[in-house]
Amino acid sequence: MKYISFIKNNGEQCAGWLDGDHAVDMHEASGGKLPKNLLTFIEQHESFADTVHETVQAQSIHGRYSLNDVQLLSPLPRPVSVRDFYAFEEHVKTARAKRGLEVIPEWYEIPVFYFTNHLAIKGPADDIEKPDQCDWLDYELEIACIIGKQGKNIKAEKAEAHIFGYCIMNDWSARDLQAKEMKVGLGPAKGKDFATSLGPWIVTKDELERYKKNDRYDLTMTASVNGRQLSHGNFHQIHYTFAEMIERASADVTLYPGEVIGSGTVGTGCILELGTDVHRWLKAGDTVELSITGLGKLVNTIK
């Protein structure tokens, strides 16, 4: 299943799933048995499984809308939280080398993350507004997993049961603001908190089984700016798995359905890593397209 959030022509915000070139309003199609928003659905998705199956099998004409007649939102317009990890070794090595730094030994000991602004979430086709004081605007090509089951002190070998699904994530970054504040030893904050894109839908983990190789997924990840491909990597190259990230995030802390965990940037997945000799920093009018095997395309334009 590919779960979505969207707005109808009448302005009503809905949640449901993708059915070919149609969006299905789960609440309307199920006769009110399923909720109106995706967060509520994720919180109780196991108890809703039979109703979803019945609704899909019924193929009712009610609640079906052409994708041309709706506006897709981020599948989770207001997630419970967003943690972003730093899990691809190639990205860490290259980005630090650009600053004349080596990878510190501690990076190999624990997966690390920061919290970003879960109230500044953008969806597919949303414009991204560059912060006023930013001259070095960057994209970041990432995958996010969505927590679907509450848990605390979750061991990596048990983490799969706590994942609802996956989506594309763009961790927009104001590199000049980020560089300044990180010198203080705290952050990132203003370098990151203005926008994070998620979407275009959440793909349930069963859909990705065909791409699984051992404990990782063979998913090609690319990023293009104005139609020119700049980034190319693969999710299989990740150093820390989502299971290991979940174990770290849940240590002494309860994770709740609807929390988002980002992978961090894949190798070559941002301008900071590639260098401005490959591509200048982003500016108004630029269109950024992230594409990941099995997860679709996430497109945004800089305002």
Side-chain angles (χ1 to χ4, degrees):
M1 299 285 283
K2 294 180 175 68
Y3 286 98
I4 55 177
S5 293
F6 59 98
I7 297 177
K8 300 177 186 176
N9 281 337
N10 64 3
E12 181 183 3
Q13 184 170 321
C14 310
W17 52 79
L18 194 66
D19 183 9
D21 57 358
H22 285 79
V24 177
D25 176 347
M26 67 166 70
H27 182 75
E28 184 179 354
S30 67
K33 295 178 182 178
L34 295 173
K36 292 184 176 182
N37 69 81
L38 204 52
L39 180 56
T40 300
F41 176 80
I42 292 172
E43 290 171 343
Q44 306 173 55
H45 71 94
E46 292 179 339
S47 64
F48 287 136
D50 289 343
T51 305
V52 170
H53 180 74
E54 292 167 3
T55 304
V56 170
Q57 292 300 310
Q59 295 184 325
S60 170
I61 60 172
H62 300 291
R64 286 174 56 85
Y65 300 88
S66 169
L67 287 175
N68 294 326
D69 296 329
V70 303
Q71 176 191 345
L72 286 181
L73 304 172
S74 163
L76 282 177
R78 284 202 171 186
V80 174
S81 75
V82 181
R83 292 173 175 84
D84 200 12
F85 277 79
Y86 196 36
F88 284 93
E89 184 181 25
E90 180 184 351
H91 170 68
V92 176
K93 280 184 173 180
T94 307
R96 289 183 66 84
K98 293 277 186 182
R99 306 194 301 273
L101 302 171
E102 296 182 350
V103 181
I104 59 173
E106 288 82 358
W107 185 85
Y108 294 98
E109 297 173 11
I110 52 171
V112 295
F113 67 90
Y114 71 95
F115 282 96
T116 194
N117 187 357
H118 68 292
L119 301 178
I121 300 300
K122 303 296 182 180
D126 280 348
D127 288 339
I128 305 301
E129 189 169 352
K130 184 174 73 69
D132 286 343
Q133 302 302 313
C134 169
D135 293 316
W136 299 357
L137 183 62
D138 203 357
Y139 68 87
E140 296 199 54
L141 173 58
E142 308 190 17
I143 290 180
C145 84
I146 289 77
I147 298 299
K149 181 180 177 182
Q150 182 175 325
K152 182 178 180 180
N153 293 320
I154 304 164
K155 296 301 181 185
E157 57 268 23
K158 302 289 186 181
E160 184 74 12
H162 293 265
I163 298 174
F164 176 77
Y166 300 90
C167 69
I168 303 173
M169 177 169 164
N170 193 333
D171 172 34
W172 301 98
S173 300
R175 296 301 191 186
D176 40 359
L177 305 186
Q178 179 186 1
K180 187 174 183 179
E181 64 190 358
M182 292 300 287
K183 289 180 180 179
V184 182
L186 191 63
K190 298 309 294 181
K192 300 278 191 175
D193 72 347
F194 58 96
T196 300
S197 294
L198 298 173
W201 35 70
I202 296 171
V203 177
T204 52
K205 54 192 176 184
D206 58 295
E207 284 212 17
L208 297 183
E209 279 301 307
R210 71 183 108 165
Y211 305 110
K212 199 158 192 178
K213 290 188 176 180
N214 300 318
D215 60 350
R216 286 163 170 76
Y217 293 96
D218 180 13
L219 305 178
T220 298
M221 306 171 66
T222 64
S224 300
V225 177
N226 300 328
R228 176 191 170 197
Q229 182 176 300
L230 300 180
S231 305
H232 186 281
N234 194 294
F235 187 50
H236 199 264
Q237 299 163 333
I238 200 164
H239 183 83
Y240 289 109
T241 65
F242 271 120
E244 293 169 314
M245 292 182 239
I246 288 171
E247 179 173 305
R248 176 66 177 172
S250 69
D252 303 306
V253 171
T254 301
L255 298 186
Y256 293 92
E259 296 202 66
V260 173
I261 293 180
S263 64
T265 309
V266 69
T268 78
C270 62
I271 296 171
L272 175 69
E273 188 179 338
L274 295 167
T276 52
D277 55 328
V278 173
H279 196 279
R280 56 164 172 73
W281 300 112
L282 301 173
K283 65 181 183 180
D286 286 341
T287 296
V288 179
E289 178 181 297
L290 307 187
S291 180
I292 300 178
T293 303
L295 298 182
K297 294 180 181 180
L298 181 59
V299 182
N300 298 102
T301 298
I302 310 303
K303 185 177 178 181

